[in-house]
Amino acid sequence: MKKAKWEQLMIVDHPLTKHKLTIMRDTQTGPKEFRELLYEMTLLIAYEATYQLKTHEVSIETPICRMTGEKIEDKDVTIVPILRAGLGMFEGVLTLLPNASVGYVGLYRDHDTHLPIEYYCKIPTVQEKDVFILDPMLATGHSASKAVDVIKQSGATGERIFFLSIISAPEGIDELVANHPDIKIFTASLDERLNERDYIVPGLGDAGDRLYKTP
Ligand code: URA
């Protein structure tokens, strides 16, 4: 895992994430393989992002003797995919934390202002919980910032909010860190820049379209 110029950002640049992300970026990769890879990438990124979760001691009996083990209270975790591309990531986190609760934030980009407008929001209790917000592409950072706003307004504290993405643009990290310097961001790649249509370069195109084969 690599630290970047932003202290809130961790780049999960493991050989496995580099390998899988290269296949995801390739236009030859179809939606089935893309979905499977996004799931696997999420497992690998979430593995790193969950490092700071607290454990509590439990007494168990092994076949040999009694011992004190450690467990995570995964009921105290909430996963919030940003619709729609974040849906491709939530199964991955849920595989690792099967008792986590799941909320959803739906945002679309206003045609004129280019700013995110909330069209759907269903958030379970997030007070005193660890919250993992999911969106594969952290592009302008506007949707990401808006989603964090919503989660904070629901009662979560920034120190316990983790934003997980697959690819990030420097512009998006700047925006998210400026608005929410107290959260942590995990990504597999910090790409070069945004293009004039706010797509990440080199990126992987529209993640929602790649997942669900929207023409
Ligand atoms: N959203 C995407 O799906 N792709 C981008 O490149 C930017 C935002």
Side-chain angles (χ1 to χ4, degrees):
M1 210 164 40
K2 191 164 77 187
K3 279 199 84 65
K5 75 166 186 180
W6 302 266
E7 65 179 47
Q8 297 86 346
L9 177 67
M10 298 304 299
I11 302 174
V12 184
D13 61 344
H14 189 280
L16 277 171
T17 53
K18 288 179 182 168
H19 170 78
K20 290 176 190 295
L21 182 53
T22 300
I23 304 172
M24 289 181 79
R25 291 183 193 272
D26 192 334
T27 50
Q28 298 300 312
T29 302
K32 180 174 184 289
E33 197 181 359
F34 188 91
R35 280 195 296 275
E36 290 165 359
L37 288 161
L38 181 54
Y39 170 81
E40 292 167 17
M41 287 289 289
T42 306
L43 290 178
L44 296 166
I45 295 169
Y47 170 77
E48 296 289 1
T50 48
Y51 185 78
Q52 293 170 27
L53 290 185
K54 288 199 174 60
T55 57
H56 61 271
E57 292 187 345
V58 286
S59 177
I60 58 158
E61 192 85 41
T62 78
I64 310 298
C65 67
R66 182 152 279 283
M67 68 162 281
T68 303
E70 289 179 61
K71 282 188 169 178
I72 294 168
E73 202 59 82
D74 59 355
K75 289 197 294 298
D76 291 344
V77 173
T78 301
I79 306 166
V80 183
I82 301 180
L83 303 178
R84 88 191 137 137
L87 288 178
M89 296 177 73
F90 89 96
E91 285 282 352
V93 185
L94 210 50
T95 297
L96 299 177
L97 302 167
N99 297 303
S101 52
V102 182
Y104 302 90
V105 177
L107 303 168
Y108 73 89
R109 200 158 70 126
D110 182 88
H111 193 264
D112 299 319
T113 65
H114 288 198
L115 291 174
I117 310 285
E118 185 184 313
Y119 68 86
Y120 185 78
C121 182
K122 187 99 183 134
I123 308 290
T125 311
V126 288
Q127 265 155 0
E128 299 188 14
K129 293 205 178 183
D130 295 294
V131 184
F132 291 83
I133 305 177
L134 313 175
D135 192 343
M137 309 300 277
L138 176 43
T140 61
H142 294 143
S143 300
S145 297
K146 177 82 178 169
V148 178
D149 285 343
V150 169
I151 301 302
K152 284 185 174 172
Q153 282 155 15
S154 303
T157 55
E159 292 72 29
R160 295 184 72 175
I161 296 176
F162 302 81
F163 194 96
L164 273 53
S165 73
I166 305 294
I167 300 180
S168 299
E171 296 91 329
I173 302 288
D174 274 339
E175 175 74 14
L176 185 53
V177 167
N179 291 318
H180 298 289
D182 48 354
I183 70 164
K184 292 172 201 74
I185 306 164
F186 288 79
T187 196
S189 177
L190 181 63
D191 274 14
E192 284 167 28
R193 61 183 167 86
L194 295 178
N195 70 11
E196 57 296 340
R197 291 173 58 216
D198 286 344
Y199 278 92
I200 300 177
V201 180
L204 50 70
D206 186 304
D209 292 355
R210 299 284 311 268
L211 271 168
Y212 306 116
K213 203 165 191 320
T214 316

